């Protein structure tokens, strides 16, 4: 089923791309407006000021997380926060709204920083230390939630942005692109070997696992857990509301802001154990789709994901007027990483959280408005 879903995704993407090409050839004139890039030397002071604010946000958030969890050790504090958010412990730990806003600010400014860092590497052939520090600040902010998913998705975003600029730069031929593919593959292998260390960093006890054993569980548990669900359950499972596992973020928004009344609403993600080994609660993105809609739902939701992603990719390819075009930030910073991490969970549809998307749009519009005077065009 996983293979068929991947094939369907590829075929639908190619079909949508073909349709968009026909529409462009029929109704649009080809127009190359060049690329607007950030003149960092002129906007350096303002950008550093933002990084100082982000650093202060990280320090303040860390102190508050330790306070609300009652932990004096930061690693234990973020792990307690993560366990509480996922319902693994009975203790209810919630952060003040302003802390979530600070972390959201760091995350979405971080996406801009990753975009500009990739731009500097590819188009300017320059390793910008200040922009690299922005990337590190983004990774640090993500780790404060106690989950490594945000940090891993940030790394994927950088890779996506790099290839977006590579394909825009006429100086790069297939040989050079192949070199970058090799570099990225090497980095992925390094990240896999760092997974166990990163788990210890956020307070998880993984000392009993050897390196390869931990990696094999981390990347293989999803398939086994999905297989267990398929073989032991009758689905679709009809819950309190339509698509309650698939559209979790949208339903949560309706509960909090639109008066939808659902008692004890949460994701059904039970921990799985095989031969005494914990496989966690990751089931791939197919699990909530099967849970809510059965096999037919998998086909529909895969096609919808492919259509949305391909449309935004096509828009992002042509939107290069702003320093940090919103469509490019949205595709490379949110859509593409959630597709990559569909192997782990329902990241794609969970990303359509109304509040956080509005916050992202506000931050990105603000950044472009403030730094628009520091742009320069290249062909």
């Amino acid at each position: 089923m996983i293979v068929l879903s991947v094939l369907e995704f590829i075929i639908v993407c190619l079909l949508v791309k073909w349709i968009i090409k026909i529409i462009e050839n029929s109704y649009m004139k080809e127009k190359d407006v060049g690329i607007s890039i950030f003149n960092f030397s002129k906007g350096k002071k303002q950008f550093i000021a933002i990084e100082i604010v982000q650093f202060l946000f990280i320090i303040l958030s860390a102190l508050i997380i330790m306070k609300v969890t009652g932990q004096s050790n930061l690693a234990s504090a973020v792990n307690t926060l993560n366990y509480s958010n996922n319902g693994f412990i009975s203790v209810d730990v919630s952060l003040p709204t302003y802390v979530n806003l600070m972390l959201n600010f760091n995350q979405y400014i971080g996406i801009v920083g990753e975009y500009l860092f990739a731009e500097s590497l590819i188009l300017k052939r320059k390793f910008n230390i200040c922009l690299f520090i922005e990337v590190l600040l983004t990774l640090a902010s993500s780790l404060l939630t106690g989950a490594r998913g945000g940090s891993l998705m940030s790394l994927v975003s950088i890779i996506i942005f790099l290839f977006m600029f590579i394909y825009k730069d006429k100086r790069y031929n297939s040989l050079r692109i192949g070199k970058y593919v090799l570099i990225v593959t090497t980095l992925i292998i390094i990240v896999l070997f760092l997974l166990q260390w990163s788990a210890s960093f956020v307070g998880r006890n993984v000392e009993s696992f050897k390196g390869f054993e931990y990696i094999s569980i981390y990347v293989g548990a999803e398939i086994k857990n999905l297989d267990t669900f398929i073989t032991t359950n009758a689905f679709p499972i009809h819950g309190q509301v339509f698509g309650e596992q698939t559209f979790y973020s949208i339903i949560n928004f309706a509960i909090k802001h639109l008066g939808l009344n659902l008692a004890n609403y949460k994701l059904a993600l039970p921990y799985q154990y095989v031969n005494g080994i914990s496989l966690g609660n990751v089931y791939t993105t197919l699990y909530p789709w099967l849970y809510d809609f059965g096999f037919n739902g998998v086909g529909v939701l895969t096609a919808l994901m492919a259509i949305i992603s391909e449309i935004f990719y096509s828009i992002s390819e042509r939107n290069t007027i702003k320093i940090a075009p919103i469509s490019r930030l949205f595709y490379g910073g949110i859509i593409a990483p959630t597709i990559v991490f569909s192997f782990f969970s329902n990241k794609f549809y969970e990303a359509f959280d109304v509040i956080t998307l509005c916050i992202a749009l506000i931050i990105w519009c603000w950044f472009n408005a403030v730094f628009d005077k520091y742009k320069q065009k290249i062909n």
Side-chain angles (χ1 to χ4, degrees):
M1 184 173 62
I2 293 175
V3 174
L4 290 175
S5 295
V6 172
L7 288 175
E8 180 191 357
F9 181 86
I10 294 172
I11 292 170
V12 173
C13 281
L14 291 174
L15 181 60
V16 173
K17 183 177 182 179
W18 175 68
I19 293 172
I20 291 173
K21 194 69 176 177
I22 292 175
I23 295 173
E24 288 179 342
N25 292 337
S26 302
Y27 301 102
M28 298 180 183
K29 294 182 180 180
E30 189 72 23
K31 186 178 180 181
D32 188 0
V33 295
I35 302 176
S36 294
I37 63 173
F38 182 30
N39 190 333
F40 188 80
S41 59
K42 291 185 178 180
K44 183 176 181 179
K45 291 181 179 179
Q46 290 83 347
F47 197 88
I48 291 176
I50 292 176
E51 290 187 325
I52 292 173
V53 171
Q54 288 181 276
F55 180 74
L56 294 175
F57 281 174
I58 290 173
I59 298 300
L60 182 58
S61 298
L63 292 174
I64 294 173
I65 289 170
M66 287 189 289
K67 181 180 179 180
V68 299
T69 58
Q71 302 284 342
S72 58
N73 179 277
L74 182 58
S76 299
V78 296
N79 190 47
T80 300
L81 176 65
N82 180 49
Y83 274 31
S84 175
N85 290 338
N86 287 283
F88 303 151
I89 57 176
S90 58
V91 179
D92 182 20
V93 179
S94 57
L95 295 177
T97 301
Y98 66 89
V99 175
N100 289 321
L101 289 174
M102 288 191 295
L103 294 176
N104 281 331
F105 178 83
N106 282 7
Q107 177 186 353
Y108 294 118
I109 284 292
I111 289 175
V112 177
E114 291 165 355
Y115 178 84
L116 297 177
F117 178 65
E119 173 190 271
S120 180
L121 279 179
I122 303 303
L123 299 186
K124 300 178 183 178
R125 306 289 183 87
K126 181 180 179 181
F127 186 93
N128 189 305
I129 295 295
C130 189
L131 292 175
F132 181 67
I133 291 173
E134 176 60 39
V135 172
L136 297 180
L137 289 172
T138 307
L139 296 176
S141 294
S142 299
L143 287 174
L144 286 179
T145 63
R148 294 164 294 170
S151 299
L152 293 173
M153 289 180 72
S154 293
L155 294 175
V156 172
S157 293
I158 296 173
I159 294 171
I160 299 297
F161 288 138
L162 285 171
F163 280 101
M164 287 174 74
F165 282 112
I166 286 173
Y167 283 110
K168 272 287 181 183
D169 194 337
K170 298 176 182 178
R171 294 172 297 178
Y172 286 86
N173 53 33
S174 58
L175 184 61
R176 287 187 174 180
I177 292 175
K179 181 183 72 174
Y180 276 90
V181 170
L182 180 61
I183 292 173
V184 168
T185 303
T186 303
L187 289 175
I188 291 173
I189 294 173
I190 293 173
V191 168
L192 285 174
F193 278 98
L194 291 175
L195 283 174
Q196 188 168 359
W197 170 83
S198 65
S200 301
F201 181 79
V202 295
R204 300 182 186 180
N205 184 15
V206 292
E207 294 179 357
S208 59
F209 295 108
K210 297 180 181 179
F212 282 108
E213 185 179 26
Y214 182 76
I215 293 171
S216 65
I217 293 174
Y218 191 86
V219 300
E222 299 80 7
I223 298 176
K224 179 58 182 177
N225 288 346
L226 178 65
D227 178 67
T228 301
F229 172 75
I230 292 174
T231 55
T232 59
N233 290 273
F235 47 83
I237 300 171
H238 300 291
Q240 302 178 73
V241 67
F242 175 83
E244 67 174 29
Q245 300 296 309
T246 302
F247 306 115
Y248 178 75
S249 298
I250 297 173
I251 295 170
N252 251 337
F253 174 80
I255 292 173
K256 294 177 181 178
H257 304 283
L258 301 179
L260 180 63
N261 186 17
L262 292 179
N264 301 319
Y265 176 65
K266 61 182 180 180
L267 290 175
L269 293 170
Y271 262 75
Q272 299 290 338
Y273 293 85
V274 174
N275 297 326
I277 298 175
S278 173
L279 299 185
N281 63 338
V282 285
Y283 295 78
T284 80
T285 193
L286 301 180
Y287 163 76
W289 303 355
L290 286 168
Y291 188 106
D292 289 329
F293 308 111
F295 287 110
N296 292 334
V298 171
V300 173
L301 291 168
T302 299
L304 182 60
M305 182 169 67
I307 292 169
I308 293 172
S309 64
E310 187 60 36
I311 289 174
F312 272 98
Y313 175 73
S314 297
I315 295 172
S316 69
E317 273 193 312
R318 292 153 184 79
N319 189 354
T320 55
I321 298 175
K322 298 291 185 180
I323 290 177
I326 291 175
S327 63
R328 292 171 74 82
L329 297 177
F330 186 55
Y331 178 80
I334 296 179
I335 289 184
T338 58
I339 292 173
V340 172
F341 280 88
S342 291
F343 180 70
F344 295 91
S345 63
N346 184 36
K347 295 293 184 184
F348 183 82
Y349 290 105
E350 288 178 4
F352 289 90
D353 182 293
V354 178
I355 298 296
T356 55
L357 285 181
C358 287
I359 293 172
L361 290 174
I362 291 170
I363 291 172
W364 292 340
C365 288
W366 170 79
F367 184 90
N368 278 296
V370 171
F371 287 89
D372 186 65
K373 56 188 174 183
Y374 303 119
K375 73 179 180 182
Q376 63 184 92
K377 281 192 174 183
I378 62 173
N379 293 322

